[in-house]
Amino acid sequence: MERKVRVRFAPSPTGPLHIGGVRTALYNYLFAKKHGGDFLLRIEDTDQTRFVPGAEEYIIEAFNWLGIKFDEGVGVGGDFGPYRQSDRKPMYKEYAEQLLNSGWAYYAFDTTEELDTVRKEFEQEKKNFQYDCNTRGYLRNSLSLSKEEVDTLLRNNIPYVVRFKFPKDTEIHINDLIRGDVKMNSNLLDDKVLYKSDGMPTYHLANIVDDHLMNISHVIRGEEWLPSCPLHVMLYKAFGWEETMPEFAHLPLLLKPDGNGKLSKRDGDRLGFPVFPLQWTDPKTGDVSSGYRESGYLPEAVINILALLGWNPGTEQEIFTLDELIDIFLIERISKSGAKFDLEKAKWFNHQYLQLMPNNKIAEQYLSILKEKNIDICLEYVEKIVGLVKERCNFVADLWEQSSFFFVKPESYDEKVIKKRWKEDTAQRLNEIAELLNSIDDFNVEKTEHEVHSFIEEKELNMGQIMNCLRLSIVGEGKGPNLFEIISLIGKEESLERINTAIDRIGKNE
RNA sequence: GCCCCGUUCGUCUAGCUGGCCUAGGACGCAAGAUUUUCAUUCUUGAAAUCAGGGGUUCGAAUCCCCUACGGGGUACCA
């Protein structure tokens, strides 16, 4: 029988989650849902020194915003808990002991200082120190020391770590779902610490134990884990869990768009685009890093952007709902090379999603921006404006730039337009137009448009002689949607007032 | 240094089992059309000698090897 798909996203709460992490989670989620499986959130907080308060809550809130739901884990519960590794602390020791007893691991009593000294000695000889099959023989561990010595050290509570004993001359194969067969020779690998002197497991031990206990079927994680994957594979073997060892898939990394290197949390706002899903305030320094949510990105757009950064369905479709993504997601189609984030394309995606969003929803958000500007206005009016200008916006916040003239009169008039369009007879013509508009009782788009156009025809003028300056007087600039839509929305009185003000202020332009 | 992974337009990428590739799409860029204007939209265009060099083959972006470059790892961090 096919094993049920169970995948996990396992961040460590060392700060805000960056978009690379979000993408990893997204791919896990898509894979799980595609196969009718479970998606769990496990918090890997084995390094107590790097714990950052608020990080866990941040992670949960971020996925909440994005609409990615966990089936199990921190914040949701489940049958395989606890899902926070610090809460699982007592259980790791027995697994470390199991390896100790079976000879797959050994005690090491070397202090950090001792190891540093050895490292320096190696460096001086231009050699690289590694705690491995070649060096463990003369370091202080249960392999080099006599049984009595080891017992004495343990009895006296001398701090120790447990290290994995990598076998010699073994070729370790990883069958990666994305990269295929990857092999490494065990002689080049070092005896990693599995269990720290503070009584906590390292990532490697905790990860394998938890994945096993939680019945994880597939491990989908960043490429930075590929080098330590042989250790993980060997651990499954050492525990005798080979039969249920998950399949591995190592994702390409998200790279910095400017220089080189992988995108990191520290890149923050340096790059001109958010690196985090939500805004984050560093609890220690108070530094604020911008987030996609606060920058006006729609969650659906962020998901779409991330999904296509390193994966594509092989068709020419580019806009996908989450459900569509689940439907067509194939892990084999994830690319092997790292991807750089493209800000322009990200904006384009958000533009697409903004157009898809109902006007009243956009209007609700715009209303709160207007409120901040002390503009108190009804939703229906704003909704109409949104319908008129949203196609020129990438973000809800762009609406103001495109529609402020609906709410406030022009304070100045674009000099370039005046120079180009405001002629000697313009003031006179606009007076006539004002008069004409004033005579219209049914002040709607069709009527005003018809009347003004007839006027232009009758006087044998061309559109350019009237329309541009009329727009200038209403908007203050030579831009914006259909002018008759604008005047019908702001109303007759306001329109006339603006025309008269413009005539007064620009005058004859002599 | 050593180990591992990668390398197609500026960017994201299609191309996987070699011939349909004079290398396709998208973003961005340029031009034109539409518009009273700006933007949107539409059309067209420029843009990769497929990192370089060797093979294999009638034929290679696609297979093999070497080199270069990029990335990752090399912690009692994850």
Side-chain angles (χ1 to χ4, degrees), chain A residues 433 436-437 440 445-464 466-467 470 482-484 487:
Chain A
I433 291 287
L436 175 72
L437 291 175
I440 301 172
V445 181
E446 293 74 28
K447 187 79 178 162
T448 51
E449 183 162 20
H450 178 258
E451 290 296 327
V452 171
H453 282 181
S454 316
F455 172 87
I456 291 169
E457 257 175 60
E458 269 169 42
K459 302 270 174 184
E460 293 182 343
L461 299 166
N462 55 45
M463 294 286 250
I466 296 297
M467 294 304 292
L470 182 55
N482 186 301
L483 191 53
F484 300 101
I487 60 171

Side-chain angles (χ1 to χ4, degrees), chain A residues 411-423:
Chain A
E411 284 172 10
S412 61
Y413 300 94
D414 190 325
E415 287 294 336
K416 275 189 209 141
V417 181
I418 295 175
K419 224 174 181 178
K420 194 172 170 202
R421 304 286 189 180
W422 199 281
K423 303 288 192 271

Side-chain angles (χ1 to χ4, degrees), chain A residues 168-173 181-187 234:
Chain A
K168 244 188 149 175
D169 303 320
T170 309
E171 185 137 282
I172 303 158
H173 288 261
D181 182 50
V182 177
K183 49 180 186 274
M184 273 182 248
N185 190 298
S186 65
N187 295 1
M234 286 307 286

Side-chain angles (χ1 to χ4, degrees), chain A residues 158-211:
Chain A
I158 301 301
Y160 66 86
V161 300
V162 176
R163 284 181 184 272
F164 187 69
K165 185 184 169 191
F166 251 111
K168 244 188 149 175
D169 303 320
T170 309
E171 185 137 282
I172 303 158
H173 288 261
I174 299 159
N175 192 277
D176 189 280
L177 260 19
I178 297 168
R179 286 154 217 285
D181 182 50
V182 177
K183 49 180 186 274
M184 273 182 248
N185 190 298
S186 65
N187 295 1
L188 277 351
L189 274 5
D190 67 326
D191 292 346
K192 278 270 177 303
V193 171
L194 300 176
Y195 195 78
K196 298 185 269 191
S197 55
D198 65 357
M200 274 294 225
T202 59
Y203 169 87
H204 306 291
L205 210 223
N207 191 265
I208 269 61
V209 167
D210 287 348
D211 281 349

